[in-house]
Amino acid sequence: MGKPPRQRRAPRAVSVARMQQIDAAAIETIGVPRLLLMEHAGLAVARAARMLTAPSAGPIFVCCGTGFNGGDGLAAARHLHEWGYPLRLLVAGPLDRLRAEPATYATILQRLNLPLLEVPDTARLPQAERPLKECVLIIDALLGIGTRGAVREPIASLIVRLNRSGKPVVAVDLPSGLDGDTGLAQGPAVKATVTVALGLPKQGCFRGAGPSYAGSVIVESITIPRAFLEFD
Ligand SMILES: NC(=O)c1ccc[n+]([C@@H]2O[C@H](COP(=O)([O-])OP(=O)(O)OC[C@H]3O[C@@H](n4cnc5c(N)ncnc54)[C@H](OP(=O)(O)O)[C@@H]3O)[C@@H](O)[C@H]2O)c1
């Protein structure tokens, strides 16, 4: 008889700083392209959304920030589109702020005739009301582990509207507005149904009020090398 399969330990929650070190090591030391990680993150988020709703039920509203968390949301949108889901897409900030990899996904989506609603300020927020009313599920890709300080506008007001809608939410990596270390809300914070933790879960999802914002936490490696994700 061969050796029994190695037991996989439950992934341990980490601080934001530790997760950022791990991401940097995967990208810079090992050379895993950021676009490749984003593609896997998007696929993981799309699969979580697929567990909660079917294409025939109605649109999914994908709300993205201008950082890499937003890029993960745009990557998820590409998969969901290929699986036949109707989508509504929002970018909270100027589109020209998107960095290379998120901009790649934004271009693909636009060329597939999926319009991106650009909400750079609170004046444009009323345009989010219609997709919010129409959708059956929200993907929260506004803010992840790169959040600094209290949540600024227009994202703060958008979070209030998302929560008020009562629609189920899949949060990417961390519910927007939740401090990934302390579990404290940085102003308004998204109340998620499911949080798809990328790489390793963040401590804030389990501390203080964190669990009431994060909902069920699913952990996805997104192909960050295993050696970085398993430690004592
Ligand atoms: N290696 C990877 O590519 C990789 C691996 C794993 C996960 N991820 C994903 O990338 C995320 C981290 O990406 P990131 O470092 O770009 O950070 P982020 O979480 O996307 O946040 C950065 C963005 O949020 C804005 N922002 C920061 N603080 C804010 C505040 N208080 N209020 C409103 N807006 C604020 C920033 O705008 P300003 O620049 O104007 O401040 C920037 O647009 C992770 O959570 C995960 O989703 C990426």
Side-chain angles (χ1 to χ4, degrees):
M1 233 168 49
K3 272 187 179 178
R6 195 162 56 100
Q7 284 283 314
R8 283 213 158 218
R9 284 187 293 271
R12 176 175 321 164
V14 288
S15 67
V16 166
R18 178 78 185 121
M19 193 67 237
Q20 286 168 332
Q21 280 172 359
I22 291 171
D23 288 346
I27 294 167
E28 286 152 32
T29 310
I30 304 297
V32 182
R34 190 183 288 281
L35 190 71
L36 198 153
L37 293 179
M38 198 166 278
E39 177 67 5
H40 281 272
L43 186 55
V45 170
R47 283 191 184 129
R50 188 169 60 180
M51 288 194 296
L52 296 178
T53 186
S56 56
I60 297 177
F61 188 23
V62 187
C63 295
C64 303
T66 56
F68 294 128
N69 192 258
D72 295 341
L74 295 169
R78 192 182 76 86
H79 289 287
L80 290 165
H81 174 69
E82 295 306 328
W83 298 342
Y85 282 87
L87 300 174
R88 304 289 181 268
L89 307 173
L90 177 151
V91 173
L95 281 173
D96 61 15
R97 285 291 301 275
L98 293 177
R99 281 180 281 176
E101 296 82 1
T104 297
Y105 284 105
T107 302
I108 292 170
L109 294 167
Q110 287 171 316
R111 288 179 183 169
L112 290 169
N113 293 321
L114 293 167
L116 298 175
L117 173 60
E118 190 180 14
V119 178
D121 49 43
T122 49
R124 299 263 185 94
L125 262 183
Q127 293 184 38
E129 280 306 322
R130 188 166 168 187
L132 201 47
K133 195 176 280 181
E134 291 171 342
C135 74
V136 295
L137 178 77
I138 294 164
I139 292 180
D140 160 34
L142 292 165
L143 297 170
I145 60 173
T147 311
R148 297 284 167 267
V151 178
R152 300 189 304 266
E153 295 292 2
I155 292 181
S157 296
L158 180 58
I159 290 174
V160 172
R161 286 171 191 239
L162 298 184
N163 285 343
R164 208 186 282 149
S165 76
K167 305 281 170 86
V169 179
V170 175
V172 179
D173 205 21
L174 193 63
S176 296
L178 185 73
D179 185 295
D181 289 329
T182 64
L184 291 171
Q186 304 287 299
V190 165
K191 289 258 182 190
T193 313
V194 172
T195 294
V196 181
L198 305 176
L200 290 165
K202 315 305 172 294
Q203 288 167 348
C205 290
F206 307 100
R207 290 182 174 165
S212 70
Y213 289 99
S216 305
V217 179
I218 298 174
V219 185
E220 296 277 358
S221 81
I222 64 166
T223 71
I224 290 173
R226 205 170 62 185
F228 293 136
L229 302 181
E230 293 181 355
F231 56 90
D232 290 314

